[in-house]
Each structure stands twice: as structure tokens, then as C-alpha cells.
Amino acid sequence: MGSPNAILRAEVGGTVILRTGRRIPGVIPSPGSAPHQRGPDGGRRRLRGKGVARGAGDDEVAFRTERISRSICREVAEFSFVHAARTRARVFGGPKYTVSPVYEGLLKEEMDAAARRHPDVEYEPQLIDATYALLLNQGGDSLVIPTLNRDGDCMSDLVLGLFGSIAGAESVLIGFTGSSLTRAS
């Protein structure tokens, strides 16, 4: 049957998943933590990796290929800055482009370009692993944290865990169809 989430994303042409972490009344968050807006996520239907294994036993090796388009990276980046401006948040974090300069570098390039188009929005790029660590020291500010697919899954669980439960998440799937993101979002 496949993933119901992937089927829904394919049907609506969703490329951005916005999840907002909010504190749950009565749940004491981790020290120094504050609500974070995690997302957007690059849309799994276009990011799903293909894997293959070769060999056997200790000589078995596995390979993975993933695909992402510049247009999706641009949508994620532009939405991040538009959403941050709307919610008076800071765009914080980013992909691990030092290890994957081509694949994750596309999102980094588009994030930097969006930052130039939106100079009024504070932009603090960090590698994703540094973002995880730095979240424990962030307090009080709303953050928009753009991620690629798997990083977004981990980020949601981490951020929402800081506030007591992943049940406190709001999730919105957004697709754009040829109109400008500022009008569509």
C-alpha cells in the first residue's frame, strides 16, 4: 500500500511540511528551551531514497541514492523566510552541506539567496548537527528551522520532546502551484 503520508503528499503536490511545537500546559520543558517552529521539510515524495545492497556477510555493502530539485529547495527556503517574517521569528539552522555539498548544498544555496531577498529576517545558518546541540541553549525566541526530510523527522521528535510530547505538534502540508510563495502561503 505504501505510506499514507507519501500518498497524501503526492495527491496534493505537497513540498513543505510545517510543524509548530508549542508548550503543553502543565508539562515542564527542558531547561533553557522555548517553542520552536520546525519546518519546512522538503517533501518526502520527492526525497525518498532508493537503496541497494550487494555482497554477503561481512562483505555486504549498502548504497543509497536520493533526489531533490532546486525548485523544491527554493520553495522551502522562501517559505522559511516568509513564515519567519510573518511570525517574527528567526531562521535558524540548515543542512549538512559540508558533508553533502551537492545534495544538501542546493538547500544551503537557496537559503542564502532567500536571506538576501529578505534582509529584514534574522538568519543564523548552522549545520544540522550544530543546530541540534544549539537548540538546548536557545531560549525565548521563535525559530523557523528549515530541514531536509530525515533531519526534519529527527528535529520534530527532538524539539517536541523538549516540550513534553510529540502530541503537541501542529502539522500542515503545503503545496505551491506556479504562484509566488508570498501569495500562496
Side-chain angles (χ1 to χ4, degrees), residues 98-171:
T98 55
V99 172
S100 180
V102 175
Y103 182 81
E104 298 197 31
L106 279 179
L107 180 57
K108 175 67 165 91
E109 290 170 9
E110 292 300 328
M111 293 301 300
D112 292 346
R116 289 188 297 274
R117 289 189 301 272
H118 299 274
D120 54 318
V121 175
E122 187 178 347
Y123 175 44
E124 191 174 334
Q126 303 288 339
L127 296 174
I128 191 65
D129 47 353
T131 300
Y132 292 136
L134 291 169
L135 281 177
L136 300 175
N137 299 322
Q138 300 295 310
D141 296 336
S142 290
L143 303 174
V144 173
I145 305 170
T147 62
L148 293 172
N149 182 38
R150 185 176 43 196
D151 294 332
D153 290 343
C154 295
M155 184 65 66
S156 290
D157 294 344
L158 171 69
V159 168
L160 296 171
L162 289 171
F163 306 111
S165 171
I166 61 172
E170 300 167 4
S171 185

Side-chain angles (χ1 to χ4, degrees), residues 47-99:
L47 291 173
R48 181 69 61 195
K50 301 290 182 191
V52 63
R54 293 201 173 103
D58 288 343
D59 293 326
E60 184 177 18
V61 294
F63 301 91
R64 180 179 77 188
T65 59
E66 295 180 279
R67 177 182 181 270
I68 192 167
S69 71
R70 183 170 293 279
S71 63
I72 289 176
C73 290
R74 188 173 301 120
E75 288 174 355
V76 168
E78 186 66 18
F79 183 85
S80 295
F81 280 85
V82 169
H83 186 66
R86 183 180 304 132
T87 60
R88 293 188 279 288
R90 170 171 43 132
V91 177
F92 184 82
K96 184 88 171 181
Y97 63 92
T98 55
V99 172

